[in-house]
Amino acid sequence: LRKKKQDHTKILDRLLQGSQTALGQAITLVESNNPTHHEQASAIIEGAIASAGKSIRIGITGVPGVGKSTFIESFGSHLLKLGKKVAVLAVDPSSSISKGSILGDKTRMENLVREDMAFIRPSPSGDSLGGVARKTRESIMLCEAAGFDVILIETVGVGQSETTVHSMCDFFLLLKLAGAGDELQGIKRGIMEMADAIVINKADGENIKAANTAKLDFKRALHLYPTKESGWMPEVLLSSALYNEGIPEIWNLIRSFERKTLENGYFEENRKQQSKFWLLQSINDQLKQSFYQNPEIKTALEEQLQAIFDKKTSPFIAAKQLLEKYSKL
Amino acid sequence: LRKKKQDHTKILDRLLQGSQTALGQAITLVESNNPTHHEQASAIIEGAIASAGKSIRIGITGVPGVGKSTFIESFGSHLLKLGKKVAVLAVDPSSSISKGSILGDKTRMENLVREDMAFIRPSPSGDSLGGVARKTRESIMLCEAAGFDVILIETVGVGQSETTVHSMCDFFLLLKLAGAGDELQGIKRGIMEMADAIVINKADGENIKAANTAKLDFKRALHLYPTKESGWMPEVLLSSALYNEGIPEIWNLIRSFERKTLENGYFEENRKQQSKFWLLQSINDQLKQSFYQNPEIKTALEEQLQAIFDKKTSPFIAAKQLLEKYSKL
């Protein structure tokens, strides 16, 4: 026990000094499903939390083919030149099936990978969205405690993952392509409403005209939505990540957002609301887990379900009886 | 106690004989938040459940102005002429604010109200969607036990209410109007995918041409969706509820659906899945309710939340500690 305690104390100390190796080790503990690792992870987080929070957390989404990796490579490199420490995390619950479809192939971000001031971590795999979300939230805190001041959180937008990322970032950026058919590429309706900025990528060469048209279309569409709680009016920008064009403008926009929301109090309030959301979310997840994984409940649930199918009870009465049983265990 | 027991036994007996008065009394008990009433309601449901299930449950939705009340009036009258017993229920969580915006004004269905074979009940009010859902599900069972063979469940489509109604009906009907702008009237994207039929209402007079165009458009749109689990291909029909046109065709379509899904087993399987869904939903609701309404947990939750805001703990660690405390209470 003593040895282990020393282990995670050492990891914590080095993490707080900015060691990327220690950060990697701490995240590995957070991602582990081993209970001992979990305790060590909790101890590290408790030690790190006072130093966390001092970053801007930027969520980035867009359909496959929009150029997310190239964008993050270009955007991240720009931030490094400005002296920022950049961490790139991913939320991709589909990686449990495809074994890491995003960020798994780090070679797509080869410049960023080579930099000492950048930290890149693929999505934890083999887990539900809830599990991935918890691990990513904790990884964000660890990155911040290790001194990273810009956290990019990438998502492929499978199922609810965009909403999940939106609920853990300060600024939400939606990458789009110009030209028809994008609506059919699977961008879900609610996503546009969550965006603080839409960036039309690949705005280069023959695409420029179409990109400018798309910019006007999206601007018009954004004006149909009600004003955001942040008081921020989402903007539409063009970029060519491949040629590093439009990138500084995006960072300047995010800085404006940060200034504005720090000033009007939304930045802090939003983080508080997010923390509260994750607290309740974790409680609800764990309440369900304790109930459904209880062996006696498992058997009783099957029996009640059969009784419902046999028209001997109703779902609501069955639920009530199961909870009475559970409270007596 | 004995008196009460006799009371609800009497209600049950008369309900099973088809008494609308007893049905109304039973639903009032289901809707009550008084614990004694709740026990009586459960006893009635347990006695009624073996006689329930023998109906077709039809969900009906559409934006305000589409003519839902007139449609239900016309459709219901047609069914009565065919010798059916028709019950009309509503799911409208907004009625807690507006005090019954749909079905509250029964005068909009004056012909149906006058008929002995029709039973109309407005949405239970003053409750969350979860509460309204439970009460409506139980009311459906009671109506069936009282011999009603067609249950119409109307919803205004506020928030998640369409999804809720979809999860308690056999057939889901979406009412639409011809002409541009309907997309902006607030029909949410997922709703089209849930529809087993789209009925373009008010297809009369000068509207007929536009209605036919809309029919083609919707047909084309429906073909873009993947095949339904039911094996049913959704259809688009025209109606003029005001002039009772297109109504028999809609009922015939629903009968085809019923035959097809009874034959391929989907009808029963879907009801089983819905029962399972409501069982789990009720369990989850009650798990949360017991936790969050516990006075000691309430205090501890506030403290943990403050500790999170003060950067002394993380949402996940706080959740874990609250659950440990809860398990010891």
Side-chain angles (χ1 to χ4, degrees):
Chain A
L1 194 74
R2 196 163 202 196
K3 172 77 166 57
K4 272 177 200 155
K5 192 163 176 100
Q6 286 176 329
D7 270 2
H8 70 248
T9 308
K10 218 183 277 171
I11 293 177
L12 174 61
D13 287 347
R14 282 165 47 234
L15 183 146
L16 292 174
Q17 287 157 25
S19 155
Q20 286 208 25
T21 311
L23 176 59
Q25 288 168 334
I27 294 181
T28 300
L29 291 174
V30 160
E31 289 179 353
S32 166
N33 290 319
N34 172 323
T36 315
H37 291 169
H38 214 262
E39 270 171 44
Q40 292 174 302
S42 290
I44 293 173
I45 290 165
E46 279 184 332
I49 202 152
S51 315
K54 300 178 207 88
S55 81
I56 178 132
R57 304 164 184 167
I58 304 169
I60 298 175
T61 191
V63 295
V66 79
K68 276 195 297 296
S69 298
T70 314
F71 179 83
I72 290 173
E73 165 99 350
S74 173
F75 188 61
S77 300
H78 176 69
L79 296 175
L80 292 177
K81 275 184 215 135
L82 297 176
K84 301 283 173 194
K85 282 185 77 180
V86 181
V88 186
L89 305 173
V91 169
D92 179 14
S94 72
S95 68
S96 57
I97 301 156
S98 64
K99 292 188 179 156
S101 62
I102 55 173
L103 292 179
D105 182 11
K106 284 192 187 178
T107 54
R108 290 188 300 159
M109 298 185 190
E110 45 185 21
N111 293 321
L112 221 49
V113 166
R114 259 187 259 114
E115 296 283 347
D116 278 351
M117 305 302 271
F119 176 81
I120 301 182
R121 184 88 183 187
S123 182
S125 64
D127 221 329
S128 66
L129 180 57
V132 170
R134 176 186 68 75
K135 291 168 181 178
T136 307
R137 275 275 305 192
E138 295 188 326
S139 299
I140 291 172
M141 288 191 257
L142 293 174
C143 289
E144 289 173 343
F148 287 87
D149 38 25
V150 183
I151 319 283
L152 307 180
I153 311 142
E154 178 185 0
T155 181
V156 275
V158 176
Q160 294 293 305
S161 65
E162 276 135 336
T163 311
T164 301
V165 168
H166 181 250
S167 67
M168 56 175 76
C169 69
D170 306 310
F171 188 94
F172 196 67
L173 194 155
L174 171 58
L175 288 177
K176 282 267 193 181
L177 288 180
D182 191 44
E183 289 313 309
L184 295 173
Q185 285 177 51
I187 281 289
K188 282 154 279 165
R189 197 155 186 158
I191 309 304
M192 280 266 285
E193 289 182 63
M194 299 193 307
D196 295 302
I198 293 177
V199 171
I200 298 161
N201 194 27
K202 302 193 184 176
D204 43 46
E206 290 179 353
N207 271 330
I208 289 184
K209 208 183 151 193
N212 273 307
T213 310
K215 181 177 170 172
L216 286 177
D217 288 346
F218 283 124
K219 269 201 152 172
R220 216 172 291 128
L222 285 175
H223 272 92
L224 294 174
Y225 294 124
T227 315
K228 281 172 177 277
E229 217 189 313
S230 56
W232 175 254
M233 181 63 215
E235 296 223 21
V236 186
L237 296 175
L238 302 183
S239 80
S240 166
L242 194 61
Y243 300 105
N244 300 315
E245 286 169 9
I247 301 299
E249 290 78 0
I250 295 167
W251 176 241
N252 289 339
L253 187 77
I254 296 173
R255 293 297 305 276
S256 305
F257 172 90
E258 195 182 16
R259 269 195 304 277
K260 178 170 180 141
T261 54
L262 279 171
E263 224 172 79
N264 69 16
Y266 176 80
F267 193 94
E268 267 314 308
E269 185 53 31
N270 182 46
R271 284 209 172 170
K272 278 189 176 182
Q273 290 308 320
Q274 289 181 341
S275 290
K276 187 174 176 180
F277 170 81
W278 287 108
L279 172 65
L280 302 184
Q281 193 73 25
S282 319
I283 290 171
N284 298 344
D285 286 352
Q286 288 179 47
L287 279 173
K288 283 193 251 174
Q289 205 175 322
S290 315
F291 182 86
Y292 291 108
Q293 290 186 354
N294 181 297
E296 288 185 59
I297 291 296
K298 271 186 185 171
T299 312
L301 187 71
E302 284 307 314
E303 286 164 5
Q304 289 281 7
L305 200 56
Q306 195 53 52
I308 293 171
F309 292 167
D310 295 342
K311 285 189 175 186
K312 284 177 187 153
T313 187
S314 88
F316 303 100
I317 295 169
K320 216 175 151 190
Q321 286 172 352
L322 285 166
L323 284 150
E324 271 164 24
K325 186 184 179 76
Y326 185 58
S327 72
K328 283 172 199 150
L329 287 179
Chain B
L1 193 73
R2 196 168 201 192
K3 174 76 165 61
K4 271 176 200 155
K5 188 159 178 103
Q6 286 175 330
D7 271 1
H8 71 247
T9 308
K10 217 183 278 171
I11 293 177
L12 174 61
D13 288 347
R14 283 167 46 236
L15 184 145
L16 292 174
Q17 287 157 25
S19 156
Q20 286 209 25
T21 312
L23 176 58
Q25 287 167 335
I27 294 180
T28 300
L29 291 173
V30 160
E31 290 178 354
S32 166
N33 291 318
N34 173 323
T36 314
H37 292 168
H38 214 262
E39 270 172 44
Q40 293 175 302
S42 290
I44 294 174
I45 290 164
E46 279 185 330
I49 201 151
S51 314
K54 299 179 207 88
S55 80
I56 177 130
R57 304 166 184 167
I58 304 169
I60 299 176
T61 191
V63 295
V66 80
K68 276 194 298 295
S69 297
T70 315
F71 179 84
I72 290 174
E73 166 99 351
S74 173
F75 188 61
S77 299
H78 175 70
L79 296 174
L80 292 177
K81 276 183 214 134
L82 297 176
K84 300 284 173 194
K85 283 185 77 180
V86 181
V88 186
L89 305 173
V91 169
D92 179 13
S94 72
S95 68
S96 59
I97 301 156
S98 63
K99 292 187 178 155
S101 62
I102 55 173
L103 292 179
D105 182 12
K106 284 193 189 175
T107 53
R108 291 187 300 158
M109 297 187 191
E110 45 183 22
N111 292 322
L112 221 49
V113 166
R114 259 187 260 115
E115 296 283 346
D116 280 351
M117 305 302 271
F119 177 81
I120 301 182
R121 184 87 182 188
S123 182
S125 64
D127 220 330
S128 65
L129 181 56
V132 170
R134 176 185 69 74
K135 291 167 181 180
T136 307
R137 274 276 304 193
E138 295 188 327
S139 299
I140 291 172
M141 288 191 257
L142 294 174
C143 290
E144 290 173 343
F148 287 87
D149 40 24
V150 183
I151 320 283
L152 307 179
I153 311 142
E154 179 185 359
T155 181
V156 275
V158 175
Q160 293 294 306
S161 65
E162 277 135 336
T163 311
T164 301
V165 169
H166 182 251
S167 65
M168 55 175 76
C169 69
D170 306 309
F171 188 93
F172 195 67
L173 194 155
L174 171 59
L175 288 176
K176 284 266 194 181
L177 289 179
D182 191 43
E183 289 314 308
L184 294 173
Q185 285 178 53
I187 281 288
K188 282 154 280 164
R189 196 153 186 163
I191 308 305
M192 281 264 286
E193 288 183 62
M194 299 194 307
D196 295 302
I198 293 177
V199 172
I200 299 161
N201 194 27
K202 302 192 184 175
D204 44 45
E206 290 178 354
N207 272 331
I208 289 185
K209 207 184 150 193
N212 273 306
T213 311
K215 182 178 170 172
L216 287 176
D217 288 346
F218 282 124
K219 268 200 152 171
R220 216 172 290 128
L222 286 175
H223 272 93
L224 292 175
Y225 294 123
T227 315
K228 281 172 178 280
E229 217 189 312
S230 56
W232 175 256
M233 181 63 215
E235 296 223 21
V236 186
L237 296 176
L238 301 184
S239 80
S240 166
L242 193 62
Y243 299 107
N244 299 315
E245 285 169 10
I247 301 298
E249 289 79 1
I250 295 167
W251 175 240
N252 290 339
L253 187 76
I254 295 174
R255 292 298 304 275
S256 306
F257 172 89
E258 195 182 16
R259 269 195 305 276
K260 179 173 180 137
T261 54
L262 279 171
E263 225 172 77
N264 69 17
Y266 176 81
F267 193 94
E268 268 313 309
E269 184 53 32
N270 182 46
R271 285 209 172 169
K272 279 190 176 181
Q273 289 308 321
Q274 289 182 341
S275 289
K276 187 174 176 180
F277 170 81
W278 287 107
L279 172 65
L280 302 185
Q281 193 72 26
S282 319
I283 291 171
N284 298 344
D285 286 352
Q286 288 179 46
L287 279 175
K288 283 193 250 176
Q289 206 175 320
S290 314
F291 182 87
Y292 291 109
Q293 289 188 354
N294 182 297
E296 287 184 59
I297 291 296
K298 272 186 186 173
T299 313
L301 187 70
E302 284 307 313
E303 286 165 4
Q304 289 281 7
L305 200 55
Q306 194 54 53
I308 293 169
F309 293 166
D310 294 343
K311 285 188 175 187
K312 285 176 188 151
T313 187
S314 88
F316 303 99
I317 295 170
K320 216 176 153 190
Q321 286 172 353
L322 285 166
L323 283 150
E324 271 164 24
K325 185 185 179 75
Y326 185 59
S327 71
K328 284 173 198 149
L329 287 179

